[in-house]
Amino acid sequence: MRSAWFFYRKEMLEMTRSYKLLWIPVVFIILGIMQPISAYYMPEILKMSGDVPPGMLELYKLPGAAETMAKSLGQYGMVGLLVLALSAMNSFAGEREGGTAELVLARPLTPLAAASAKWLAQLTLLALSLGLGAACAAYYTVRLIGGLSWSAVLEASALYGLWLLCVVSFTLLFSACLRAPAAAFLSLAAAAGLALLHTLLPRPLRWSPAALPQLSVEALMQQGATAYAWVFPVLSGIALIVLCFLGASLLFGRNKLPRF
Protein backbone atom coordinates (compact mmCIF):
# COMPACT_ATOMS: atom_id res chain seq x y z
CA MET A 1 0.00 0.00 0.00
CA ARG A 2 2.84 2.37 0.80
CA SER A 3 4.44 1.89 -2.62
CA ALA A 4 1.05 2.46 -4.29
CA TRP A 5 0.61 5.68 -2.29
CA PHE A 6 4.01 6.98 -3.40
CA PHE A 7 3.20 6.06 -7.01
CA TYR A 8 -0.14 7.88 -6.69
CA ARG A 9 1.70 10.98 -5.47
CA LYS A 10 4.03 10.67 -8.44
CA GLU A 11 1.03 10.54 -10.80
CA MET A 12 -0.52 13.62 -9.19
CA LEU A 13 2.82 15.44 -9.42
CA GLU A 14 2.98 14.68 -13.14
CA MET A 15 -0.58 15.99 -13.57
CA THR A 16 0.41 19.17 -11.75
CA ARG A 17 3.54 19.68 -13.85
CA SER A 18 1.64 19.07 -17.09
CA TYR A 19 -1.09 21.49 -15.91
CA LYS A 20 -3.81 18.84 -16.23
CA LEU A 21 -5.07 19.78 -12.77
CA LEU A 22 -5.55 23.31 -14.10
CA TRP A 23 -6.74 23.22 -17.69
CA ILE A 24 -9.07 20.20 -17.50
CA PRO A 25 -11.13 21.66 -14.61
CA VAL A 26 -11.17 24.98 -16.48
CA VAL A 27 -12.56 23.23 -19.57
CA PHE A 28 -15.28 21.59 -17.46
CA ILE A 29 -16.15 24.92 -15.81
CA ILE A 30 -16.45 26.64 -19.20
CA LEU A 31 -18.60 23.82 -20.58
CA GLY A 32 -20.81 23.97 -17.50
CA ILE A 33 -21.50 27.70 -17.48
CA MET A 34 -21.99 28.04 -21.24
CA GLN A 35 -25.50 26.55 -21.19
CA PRO A 36 -27.15 28.80 -18.55
CA ILE A 37 -25.43 31.92 -19.88
CA SER A 38 -26.35 31.22 -23.52
CA ALA A 39 -29.93 30.32 -22.55
CA TYR A 40 -30.39 33.54 -20.57
CA TYR A 41 -28.84 35.84 -23.15
CA MET A 42 -30.23 34.08 -26.23
CA PRO A 43 -32.71 36.91 -27.08
CA GLU A 44 -29.84 39.43 -27.07
CA ILE A 45 -27.69 37.08 -29.14
CA LEU A 46 -30.47 36.64 -31.71
CA LYS A 47 -31.14 40.36 -31.76
CA MET A 48 -27.46 41.13 -32.44
CA SER A 49 -27.40 38.65 -35.33
CA GLY A 50 -29.70 40.97 -37.30
CA ASP A 51 -31.41 38.16 -39.25
CA VAL A 52 -34.22 37.36 -36.82
CA PRO A 53 -37.74 37.33 -38.36
CA PRO A 54 -40.22 39.75 -36.78
CA GLY A 55 -41.97 38.29 -33.75
CA MET A 56 -39.49 35.47 -33.23
CA LEU A 57 -38.01 37.00 -30.10
CA GLU A 58 -41.46 37.18 -28.51
CA LEU A 59 -41.85 33.42 -29.05
CA TYR A 60 -38.62 32.59 -27.25
CA LYS A 61 -39.26 30.91 -23.90
CA LEU A 62 -36.56 30.68 -21.27
CA PRO A 63 -35.96 27.00 -20.41
CA GLY A 64 -36.48 25.81 -16.86
CA ALA A 65 -33.67 25.55 -14.36
CA ALA A 66 -33.71 21.73 -14.27
CA GLU A 67 -33.67 21.49 -18.06
CA THR A 68 -30.79 23.94 -18.29
CA MET A 69 -28.77 22.05 -15.68
CA ALA A 70 -29.44 18.76 -17.47
CA LYS A 71 -28.15 20.25 -20.73
CA SER A 72 -25.07 21.56 -18.91
CA LEU A 73 -24.23 18.05 -17.69
CA GLY A 74 -24.91 16.76 -21.20
CA GLN A 75 -22.04 18.90 -22.48
CA TYR A 76 -19.64 16.58 -20.66
CA GLY A 77 -20.83 13.65 -22.76
CA MET A 78 -19.15 15.11 -25.84
CA VAL A 79 -16.21 17.43 -25.24
CA GLY A 80 -15.78 16.27 -21.66
CA LEU A 81 -15.41 12.63 -22.68
CA LEU A 82 -12.88 13.55 -25.34
CA VAL A 83 -10.80 15.60 -22.89
CA LEU A 84 -10.80 12.83 -20.28
CA ALA A 85 -9.88 10.16 -22.83
CA LEU A 86 -6.98 12.25 -24.15
CA SER A 87 -5.84 12.84 -20.59
CA ALA A 88 -5.89 9.15 -19.62
CA MET A 89 -4.58 7.62 -22.85
CA ASN A 90 -0.91 7.97 -21.80
CA SER A 91 -1.39 6.51 -18.33
CA PHE A 92 0.07 3.09 -19.17
CA ALA A 93 1.06 3.70 -22.79
CA GLY A 94 3.44 6.48 -21.74
CA GLU A 95 5.27 4.16 -19.33
CA ARG A 96 5.54 1.44 -21.98
CA GLU A 97 6.49 3.66 -24.92
CA GLY A 98 9.03 5.56 -22.83
CA GLY A 99 10.66 2.34 -21.70
CA THR A 100 10.06 3.04 -18.00
CA ALA A 101 7.47 0.31 -17.37
CA GLU A 102 10.12 -2.31 -16.59
CA LEU A 103 11.92 0.12 -14.27
CA VAL A 104 8.68 0.91 -12.47
CA LEU A 105 7.77 -2.75 -11.96
CA ALA A 106 11.35 -3.60 -10.95
CA ARG A 107 10.68 -1.71 -7.73
CA PRO A 108 8.54 -3.28 -4.95
CA LEU A 109 5.46 -2.26 -6.91
CA THR A 110 3.07 -4.85 -8.33
CA PRO A 111 1.06 -4.23 -11.52
CA LEU A 112 -2.08 -4.15 -9.36
CA ALA A 113 -0.63 -1.41 -7.15
CA ALA A 114 0.52 0.59 -10.21
CA ALA A 115 -2.95 0.29 -11.77
CA SER A 116 -4.54 1.33 -8.48
CA ALA A 117 -2.40 4.46 -8.30
CA LYS A 118 -3.10 5.46 -11.89
CA TRP A 119 -6.83 4.77 -11.58
CA LEU A 120 -7.07 6.79 -8.36
CA ALA A 121 -5.19 9.67 -10.00
CA GLN A 122 -7.67 9.71 -12.88
CA LEU A 123 -10.55 9.48 -10.40
CA THR A 124 -9.17 12.48 -8.51
CA LEU A 125 -8.92 14.48 -11.74
CA LEU A 126 -12.45 13.51 -12.77
CA ALA A 127 -13.95 14.32 -9.37
CA LEU A 128 -12.23 17.71 -9.25
CA SER A 129 -13.19 18.64 -12.81
CA LEU A 130 -16.79 17.44 -12.70
CA GLY A 131 -17.34 18.80 -9.20
CA LEU A 132 -16.18 22.30 -10.12
CA GLY A 133 -17.96 22.22 -13.48
CA ALA A 134 -21.30 21.08 -12.03
CA ALA A 135 -21.05 23.52 -9.11
CA CYS A 136 -20.41 26.48 -11.42
CA ALA A 137 -23.18 25.37 -13.79
CA ALA A 138 -25.64 25.07 -10.91
CA TYR A 139 -24.60 28.46 -9.50
CA TYR A 140 -25.13 30.30 -12.80
CA THR A 141 -28.39 28.41 -13.40
CA VAL A 142 -29.74 29.52 -10.01
CA ARG A 143 -28.56 33.11 -10.47
CA LEU A 144 -29.84 33.54 -14.03
CA ILE A 145 -32.80 31.19 -14.44
CA GLY A 146 -34.25 29.80 -11.24
CA GLY A 147 -33.88 27.59 -8.20
CA LEU A 148 -32.56 24.04 -8.17
CA SER A 149 -32.64 21.21 -5.69
CA TRP A 150 -29.02 20.76 -4.65
CA SER A 151 -29.66 17.15 -3.68
CA ALA A 152 -30.94 16.50 -7.21
CA VAL A 153 -27.88 18.24 -8.68
CA LEU A 154 -25.61 16.07 -6.53
CA GLU A 155 -27.45 12.89 -7.54
CA ALA A 156 -27.41 13.79 -11.23
CA SER A 157 -23.72 14.71 -11.12
CA ALA A 158 -22.85 11.44 -9.37
CA LEU A 159 -24.73 9.38 -11.97
CA TYR A 160 -23.08 11.24 -14.84
CA GLY A 161 -19.70 11.02 -13.14
CA LEU A 162 -20.01 7.24 -12.93
CA TRP A 163 -20.58 7.09 -16.69
CA LEU A 164 -17.53 9.27 -17.30
CA LEU A 165 -15.51 7.02 -15.00
CA CYS A 166 -16.56 4.01 -17.09
CA VAL A 167 -15.08 5.65 -20.19
CA VAL A 168 -11.88 6.60 -18.31
CA SER A 169 -11.58 2.96 -17.17
CA PHE A 170 -11.97 1.85 -20.79
CA THR A 171 -9.10 4.19 -21.71
CA LEU A 172 -6.87 2.77 -18.96
CA LEU A 173 -7.63 -0.77 -20.12
CA PHE A 174 -6.70 -0.08 -23.74
CA SER A 175 -3.72 2.03 -22.69
CA ALA A 176 -2.23 -1.00 -20.92
CA CYS A 177 -1.74 -2.86 -24.21
CA LEU A 178 -1.96 -0.32 -27.05
CA ARG A 179 -0.43 2.98 -28.00
CA ALA A 180 -2.00 6.16 -26.67
CA PRO A 181 -3.98 7.33 -29.76
CA ALA A 182 -5.45 3.86 -30.29
CA ALA A 183 -6.41 3.65 -26.61
CA ALA A 184 -8.29 6.96 -26.76
CA PHE A 185 -10.02 6.05 -30.02
CA LEU A 186 -11.13 2.61 -28.84
CA SER A 187 -12.41 3.89 -25.50
CA LEU A 188 -14.54 6.54 -27.21
CA ALA A 189 -15.72 3.97 -29.75
CA ALA A 190 -16.69 1.59 -26.94
CA ALA A 191 -18.61 4.35 -25.17
CA ALA A 192 -20.37 5.30 -28.42
CA GLY A 193 -21.23 1.65 -29.05
CA LEU A 194 -22.76 1.21 -25.60
CA ALA A 195 -24.75 4.43 -26.01
CA LEU A 196 -25.98 3.40 -29.47
CA LEU A 197 -27.07 -0.04 -28.27
CA HIS A 198 -28.96 1.50 -25.37
CA THR A 199 -30.66 3.96 -27.74
CA LEU A 200 -31.73 1.15 -30.08
CA LEU A 201 -32.77 -1.26 -27.31
CA PRO A 202 -33.71 0.92 -24.32
CA ARG A 203 -35.92 -1.59 -22.49
CA PRO A 204 -33.78 -4.74 -22.80
CA LEU A 205 -30.65 -2.71 -21.94
CA ARG A 206 -32.09 -0.54 -19.18
CA TRP A 207 -29.50 -2.12 -16.85
CA SER A 208 -26.60 -0.91 -19.05
CA PRO A 209 -24.14 1.76 -17.80
CA ALA A 210 -25.12 3.73 -20.92
CA ALA A 211 -28.45 4.45 -19.17
CA LEU A 212 -26.67 6.60 -16.57
CA PRO A 213 -26.76 9.88 -18.59
CA GLN A 214 -30.53 9.56 -19.10
CA LEU A 215 -31.02 8.72 -15.43
CA SER A 216 -29.03 11.84 -14.62
CA VAL A 217 -31.50 13.91 -16.63
CA GLU A 218 -34.47 12.23 -14.94
CA ALA A 219 -32.98 12.90 -11.51
CA LEU A 220 -33.12 16.62 -12.32
CA MET A 221 -36.40 16.71 -14.21
CA GLN A 222 -38.39 14.27 -12.02
CA GLN A 223 -36.98 14.37 -8.53
CA GLY A 224 -37.50 11.10 -6.71
CA ALA A 225 -39.22 9.41 -9.68
CA THR A 226 -36.24 7.14 -10.34
CA ALA A 227 -35.70 5.87 -6.80
CA TYR A 228 -34.81 2.32 -7.91
CA ALA A 229 -34.29 2.68 -11.65
CA TRP A 230 -30.62 3.55 -11.14
CA VAL A 231 -29.72 0.41 -9.14
CA PHE A 232 -28.85 -1.95 -12.02
CA PRO A 233 -27.12 0.69 -14.22
CA VAL A 234 -25.01 1.74 -11.23
CA LEU A 235 -24.13 -1.86 -10.37
CA SER A 236 -23.30 -2.69 -13.99
CA GLY A 237 -21.19 0.49 -14.21
CA ILE A 238 -19.24 -0.47 -11.10
CA ALA A 239 -18.78 -4.01 -12.44
CA LEU A 240 -17.49 -2.63 -15.75
CA ILE A 241 -15.03 -0.36 -13.93
CA VAL A 242 -13.73 -3.23 -11.80
CA LEU A 243 -13.28 -5.47 -14.86
CA CYS A 244 -11.41 -2.73 -16.73
CA PHE A 245 -9.23 -2.06 -13.70
CA LEU A 246 -8.31 -5.72 -13.23
CA GLY A 247 -7.74 -6.16 -16.96
CA ALA A 248 -5.48 -3.09 -17.06
CA SER A 249 -3.35 -4.35 -14.17
CA LEU A 250 -3.02 -7.78 -15.81
CA LEU A 251 -2.16 -6.41 -19.25
CA PHE A 252 0.31 -3.87 -17.85
CA GLY A 253 2.23 -6.65 -16.13
CA ARG A 254 2.42 -8.67 -19.35
CA ASN A 255 2.99 -5.86 -21.87
CA LYS A 256 5.89 -3.76 -20.58
CA LEU A 257 7.26 -3.03 -24.04
CA PRO A 258 5.38 -0.94 -26.63
CA ARG A 259 3.25 -2.65 -29.24
CA PHE A 260 2.99 -1.46 -32.81
Side-chain angles (χ1 to χ4, degrees), residues 41-53 56-57:
Y41 290 105
M42 185 57 68
E44 284 74 11
I45 295 174
L46 293 175
K47 190 182 299 183
M48 291 175 60
S49 68
D51 298 326
V52 183
M56 184 176 179
L57 293 178

Side-chain angles (χ1 to χ4, degrees), residues 149-225:
S149 169
W150 289 100
S151 61
V153 171
L154 182 61
E155 179 184 352
S157 301
L159 290 171
Y160 214 100
L162 184 60
W163 168 243
L164 296 179
L165 188 58
C166 289
V167 182
V168 171
S169 300
F170 269 136
T171 310
L172 292 177
L173 174 64
F174 294 127
S175 177
C177 59
L178 300 171
R179 292 190 177 273
F185 174 79
L186 287 178
S187 64
L188 294 174
L194 284 177
L196 179 61
L197 284 175
H198 180 261
T199 301
L200 296 176
L201 303 168
R203 292 185 64 83
L205 296 179
R206 59 181 178 271
W207 52 268
S208 170
L212 291 169
Q214 181 59 34
L215 290 173
S216 174
V217 174
E218 293 177 4
L220 286 166
M221 303 296 293
Q222 305 170 7
Q223 300 171 15

